[in-house]
Each structure stands twice: as structure tokens, then as C-alpha cells.
Amino acid sequence: MTQQELKPVVVVHGGAGGSRADDDGCVHAARRGMSEMNRGALAAATAAVVALEDDGRYNAGSGSVLCLDGATIEMDAAVMDSNGKLGAVACIQRVRNPVLVARAVADTPHWLLAGDGAERFARIAGIPPYYHASERARRKHDELLRKLAGAQAALPGVANAAFSHYWNYAAPPQFATEDGCDTVGAVARDGAGNFAAACSTGGSAPSLLGRVGDTPIIGSGFYAGKLGAVAVTGIGEHIVRRLLAHTVYQWLAEGMPMEEALEAGIALFPREIDVGIIAVNRKESGARSNKDMPRAEVSA
Ligand code: ASP
């Protein structure tokens, strides 16, 4: 290692509100990321998220939760690096790896494609159709419907009745829906000092059709700049109001120690709002959440 070279590292998470029993999938994903590190931080972060999307235990890619109608799967994903690469997709359906579509968007004149346009773009980019409603997704959907039928708010701070009141799916509501708040993300630092963030989610249930959270929104769900990279997880509606990823990035850029910046980021939220943050800068890396959050870190 020359004096300029930094120690490569990949940090990944499997979603705030997930189970630490699923840390092994994160370790596998961080290793997959590290195996791509010779192609740079962006390739590493993207590969780690692909592994998490393929795992099936996390709310992203093949493990994505079902929308309230019990059939639709809408996903969001994003990538960004410290060299200005930026791509995202929102409300995309019928792809296995939304993060690969987001990576392809980063090579177009745009930064974010949504809905049908994003899916059509995926086909042009050679990404085949894929739809899989997993057993886990069906189970979670049933749990969510039970919650929506009950007295406790399925989405903290929102009356369950709001979902039938504003219902916008083609099929009628069948309440008797899931707080699918777990998602995936990765941040990476390569030896040349480049940083990247990548993230992907099946969304936070319950949600209306067309709902977009923080995951594909720059500065909210993710941020990467010359001084580091940050990816976050939690309830998007609360995260976007605090521009969480950029806020933490800025604190790190101003010299706040990693532990302190992560802690301060979590402290912006009331305890009942699930939130988790992973970050890397030139010297440090870390992960913090206010609920269980599967995670892993692998360095060279
Ligand atoms: N942030 C994601 C969203 O709101 C969900 C999550 O991180 O669990 O769509």
C-alpha cells in the first residue's frame, strides 16, 4: 500500500427492524462486494446489494414485500459514488435486481426513472422480466392485513383507516397488511479513496400504489461524496423530512467522529420510528440502528 492508498472496506445492512439472525447474509454480501473491489467502490457496493437482493430474507429484490393489494411488488433502488455517478429507480416492477437497473440509469442522461418507464428501460438494458412473491412475502402480507384490521397503527403515526380511505389499487381493499420495514444497503471505500453507496428496497408497508420512500432519493436514503458515503434504512416518510443520509455525511465531512455522527443521526428520530445508518469515510466505518438490524463489515 502506498501512502495515498486507503484500506478498502464494505459495510452492509439488511434493514432496521430485521433480525440479527440474518447477519450471515450480510457477511456473504460484504464479501461479494469485496471480491469486486478491484473494479472500484461503486462496483463493490453494487455487488453487495445484488447479493442481498438475491438472498430472499431481506425486503429487496427477490425478497420484496407485497403491496397492499397482495399482488403488486414495487421496488426502489439507488447507487451513487464520489465521482458523480448517480442512478436510481422508483416504483419499478418485474425485475430481480433493481440496483442493477439503478446502476444502468447512472449511465444515461438522467438520474432517476420511475414506474413503467423504469421497467421499459430495464428491458432495453437487457434485464429480463422477473416476478416472485415469496412465501415470506405472503406471510408478511397476511400479518399486515391483520394489523391493519386491528387497533394498533400499522404505520406509526398514521390511522389504519387512511389506507382504505385513500385506496388507489385496481382491486378493492381486503383488510382484515405488514410493517415491512427492512431493506438493504451497502457503502464502500476503495484503495484509491473513492466512496460509493447502493441501496434497494421492496418499500415500507403498508403503502398506497405508487408510494416512494427515501431509498431512491438522493440525500435522504443515500449519499456519497469526496469524503465518504452513507446509506440509511427505516420509515421513508420520516427519513426524507430529515435528509438523513446527507445530514450524517455533512457531520462526518465537518470532522465529527463516526460513532458520534451515527448516534446523532439516530437521535433525530423518536424511538418508535425504526431507523438504521451505515457509513464510511477516509478513516472510519460503522453501523448504528435503534432496532435490530442485520449488518456486516469486511475490509481488506
Ligand atoms: N426506507 C425504506 C422505505 O421507506 C424501507 C426500509 O428502509 O426498511 O421505503
Side-chain angles (χ1 to χ4, degrees), residues 70-89:
T72 310
I73 298 178
E74 285 188 329
M75 299 161 286
D76 303 330
V79 301
M80 183 176 187
D81 79 358
S82 45
N83 298 308
K85 277 281 179 201
L86 172 63
V89 289

Side-chain angles (χ1 to χ4, degrees), residues 32-169:
R32 278 288 308 131
M34 193 54 83
S35 72
E36 294 293 321
M37 193 57 93
N38 56 339
R39 298 199 298 122
L42 181 60
T46 306
V49 168
V50 168
L52 293 162
E53 288 176 336
D54 287 344
D55 185 293
R57 286 175 293 172
Y58 310 104
N59 177 20
S62 61
S64 292
V65 295
L66 293 163
C67 288
L68 278 176
D69 64 351
T72 310
I73 298 178
E74 285 188 329
M75 299 161 286
D76 303 330
V79 301
M80 183 176 187
D81 79 358
S82 45
N83 298 308
K85 277 281 179 201
L86 172 63
V89 289
C91 286
I92 191 168
Q93 297 189 30
R94 292 172 287 272
V95 291
R96 182 183 174 101
N97 297 109
V99 77
L100 291 178
V101 190
R103 176 64 189 84
V105 170
D107 293 332
T108 72
H110 305 302
W111 79 275
L112 170 64
L113 292 178
D116 270 1
E119 189 180 339
R120 289 168 70 97
F121 169 76
R123 302 296 168 251
I124 290 162
I127 294 169
Y130 175 88
Y131 174 89
H132 175 66
S134 65
E135 259 322 297
R136 172 184 174 277
R138 294 211 180 282
R139 216 174 40 245
K140 290 223 163 223
H141 182 71
D142 290 344
E143 281 167 26
L144 181 58
L145 290 181
R146 275 197 296 275
K147 259 194 184 168
L148 275 176
Q152 201 194 335
L155 186 67
V158 177
N160 290 344
F163 293 98
S164 44
H165 184 75
Y166 295 107
W167 187 259
N168 64 348
Y169 292 90

Side-chain angles (χ1 to χ4, degrees), residues 13 15-16 59 76 180-184 201-204 211-215 232-237 239:
H13 74 76
N59 177 20
D76 303 330
C181 197
D182 53 59
T183 203
V184 305
T201 185
S204 162
R211 177 263 185 195
V212 178
D214 59 303
T215 304
V232 314
T233 166
I235 301 176
E237 282 72 5
I239 291 172

